[in-house]
Structures are given as C-alpha cells and as structure tokens.
C-alpha cells in the first residue's frame, strides 16, 4: 500500500531483529529512508543488507548505538540528520524484560530502557520532527502496559511508557508532531522469546494460546509493523495519543 512515506526520514531503534526489523522493512517497502539502530553492529549490518536487497527503492542506513547511553542516542539522531537531512518519523522499539540484578536494579534498568531512552530519543528528535511537517513518533509498548501481566518491572515500565507517550502527544500536537503507541500482544519469531518457548514446549504454548489468545495463534512481527507504518503515515493524521493493541484479542483491558 502506498502510504505516502516514500523519501521520509525514519529512525527505528532496536531494528536488527524481531519486531524492529519488521518495522524497518515495512518502512523500506514504502520507499522511505530508514536508519536502523541496535547495539550489535554485525546483526545490524546483515539486516540492512537483507532490506536493501528486498527493497531497492528504499535507502537503508545503520548506526550501532545503545539507546540507554545519552551520547550514543544523540549520535543516532545526528546520523539521521546528517544522512537524510532531518527526521520525519521516530519509532522507539528498543525494549526488553530486564531480569538481571536486584529487584530495584531490575526496575531502574527497565525504566532506563523502556521509558527514559524513548523519551530521550523524542527530545533529541523534537526540533527535527517539528520541522518535518509530517512529524510522527510511534512508541512500542505492550498490552502488559495496559493491564496486569508480565514481570512487574516490565509491566510497570511499559505502563509508564504509555502514560509518557500520551502526555507528550498532548504537549506536542501543537508542534505538528503526532505521538502514538502500539501495544503488541505475544509475538513469535525465530530467535524471539515466544519463538523459543514454542520450540521448547509446543504443547504448553498451544494451551497458552487456547486460554489467552482469542485469535488462536501468536502474532507475527509483520502484523505489528503494519500498524506502526500506518500510525506514522499521513493516513493517520487525526490519530494522536492513541495506543493501538495488536494482539489477536489477547488483551482483556477495557482501556
Ligand atoms: N515479542 C513480543 O512478544 C513483544 C510483545 C509486546 C511488546 N514487545 C516490545 O516490542 C519491542 C521489540 O521486542 P522484540 O521481541 O522484537 O525484541 P528483541 O527480539 O529482543 O529485539 C530487540 C531489538 O532491540 C535491540 N536493542 C536492545 N537493547 C537495545 C539498546 N539498549 N539500544 C539499542 N538497541 C537495543 C536489539 O539489538 P541488540 O541486542 O544488538 O542491541 C534488537 O534489535 C520491545 O520494546 C518489546 O518490549 C514485544
């Protein structure tokens, strides 16, 4: 589908694998100029190569950076500005369940990665997004930011990420920057946590699906990417401050 994103400058964090890679591919398929960011340079480079081959009409660049490091985060936005002349779309996808350390350390690291790094990227990109005329931010949260579920530090930080995005959406609407969220349910892919559990315990996972996911299967990264690309496009021009579940009906939340 042509969503009018050709030539737009798009930054996707956590883009070397999984959901982030599918999001980057979704923008590349639209002919955008996409900057992929992740810490591991090798996987990043091979992902970029795959996308360039699959989408010759797109421009795909990479920057190896840890978004929890302020200097490296600044480098990501500076690289987009240097290579593409600005930033039209920012997708904060880098995120994880942090399980290491004491309870307090896990909570701090979860907030650092899932909340602070996203808002730092937003602040770094703010003036470029405002100058774009089409500025859009899509943050990748989780259905477990809307309701009970997942480890507490993940649940709490993803809830904060949703609240942070909503607050910024209202503040930045006047600047012409739309901020929205996508909240995936359980998304399975090779190398991902649900993909691994599917291999290790196929029967248990079928029981999980039967009990938890009305759609009857795990979601895939491309289904999340489709929602992200839509929200970043002018087709979603009147969508501001939304959190869109992509979860096969898995969420039980009324909000
Ligand atoms: N998979 C699911 O079922 C699911 C469900 C709901 C929400 N989500 C959310 O969706 C997002 C992506 O999940 P995923 O399952 O695709 O994750 P994943 O497979 O673990 O991939 C994470 C990506 O982020 C990068 N990354 C991790 N930490 C980073 C950092 N500090 N700085 C820069 N890049 C970093 C990773 O590359 P490097 O390790 O090389 O940095 C990788 O490219 C996360 O925010 C997650 O919470 C996932």
């Amino acid at each position: 589908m042509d969503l009018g994103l050709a030539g737009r400058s798009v930054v996707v964090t956590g883009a070397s694998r999984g959901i982030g890679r599918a999001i980057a591919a979704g923008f590349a398929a639209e002919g955008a100029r996409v900057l992929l960011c992740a810490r591991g340079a090798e996987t990043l480079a091979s992902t970029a190569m795959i996308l360039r081959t699959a989408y010759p009409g797109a421009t795909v660049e990479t920057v190896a950076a840890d978004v929890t490091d302020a200097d490296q985060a600044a480098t990501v936005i500076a690289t987009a500005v240097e290579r593409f002349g600005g930033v039209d779309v920012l997708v904060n996808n880098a995120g994880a369940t942090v399980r290491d350390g004491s309870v307090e350390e896990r909570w701090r690291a979860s907030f650092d990665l899932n909340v602070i790094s996203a808002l730092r990227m937003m602040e770094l990109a703010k003036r470029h997004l405002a100058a774009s005329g089409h500025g859009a931010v899509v943050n990748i949260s989780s259905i477990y930011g809307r309701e009970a579920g997942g480890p507490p530090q993940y649940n709490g930080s993803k809830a904060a990420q949703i609240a942070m995005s909503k607050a910024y959406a209202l503040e930045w609407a006047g600047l012409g920057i739309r901020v929205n969220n996508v909240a995936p349910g359980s998304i399975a892919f090779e190398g991902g946590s649900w993909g691994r559990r599917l291999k290790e315990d196929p029967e248990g996972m079928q029981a999980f699906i039967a009990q938890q996911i009305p759609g009857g299967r795990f979601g895939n990264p491309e289904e999340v990417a489709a929602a992200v690309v839509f929200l970043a496009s002018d087709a979603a021009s009147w969508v501001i401050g939304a959190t869109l579940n992509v979860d096969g009906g898995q969420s039980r939340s009324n909000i």
Side-chain angles (χ1 to χ4, degrees):
M1 190 192 298
D2 181 3
L3 288 165
L5 289 163
R8 296 266 171 95
S9 166
V10 180
V11 175
V12 183
T13 70
S16 63
R17 58 175 191 266
I19 292 172
R21 178 168 68 182
I23 292 169
F27 283 106
E30 293 286 323
R33 296 179 295 169
V34 194
L35 180 66
L36 280 55
C37 151
R39 292 165 303 180
E42 214 171 296
T43 313
L44 201 55
S46 69
T47 295
M49 196 64 83
I50 291 165
L51 297 189
R52 287 185 194 113
T53 306
Y55 307 105
T59 303
V60 179
E61 303 271 354
T62 64
V63 56
D66 181 339
V67 291
T68 63
D69 179 292
D71 290 340
Q72 293 182 43
T75 303
V76 176
I77 298 303
T79 304
V81 173
E82 183 192 304
R83 307 231 178 121
F84 303 152
V87 181
D88 300 304
V89 176
L90 169 64
V91 181
N92 285 308
N93 166 76
T97 304
V98 180
R99 297 181 191 275
D100 295 338
S102 67
V103 169
E104 191 173 320
E105 284 165 344
R106 279 179 233 159
W107 273 82
R108 285 189 192 283
S110 298
F111 267 73
D112 208 19
L113 177 59
N114 296 330
V115 186
I116 306 291
S117 67
L119 76 84
R120 182 189 292 122
M121 292 295 290
M122 289 169 64
E123 290 288 355
L124 287 164
K126 181 180 177 182
R127 69 190 168 93
H128 306 292
L129 292 163
S132 152
H134 307 274
V137 176
V138 184
N139 291 326
I140 309 304
S141 53
S142 166
I143 58 168
Y144 290 137
R146 309 189 89 172
E147 62 182 45
Q153 67 277 16
Y154 185 74
N155 191 256
S157 60
K158 288 293 184 179
Q161 188 187 10
I162 291 172
M164 179 274 284
S165 306
K166 181 75 182 183
Y168 270 79
L170 306 188
E171 284 211 352
W172 286 10
L175 300 174
I177 306 170
R178 294 181 304 103
V179 181
N180 288 292
N181 258 298
V182 166
S186 299
I187 307 299
F189 52 88
E190 186 76 33
S193 60
W194 290 109
R196 191 178 61 247
R197 273 177 264 188
L198 259 175
K199 271 191 188 153
E200 287 169 3
D201 181 16
E203 280 177 21
M205 287 297 100
Q206 285 316 318
F208 173 84
I209 288 168
Q211 193 185 37
Q212 299 285 335
I213 310 179
R217 61 173 171 81
F218 286 112
N220 62 61
E222 290 72 25
E223 290 169 317
V224 179
V228 175
V229 172
F230 162 70
L231 285 173
S233 77
D234 296 349
S237 53
W238 205 232
V239 185
I240 295 175
T243 296
L244 177 56
N245 290 345
V246 180
D247 68 350
Q250 185 177 0
S251 170
R252 301 297 191 269
S253 171
N254 287 324
I255 55 167

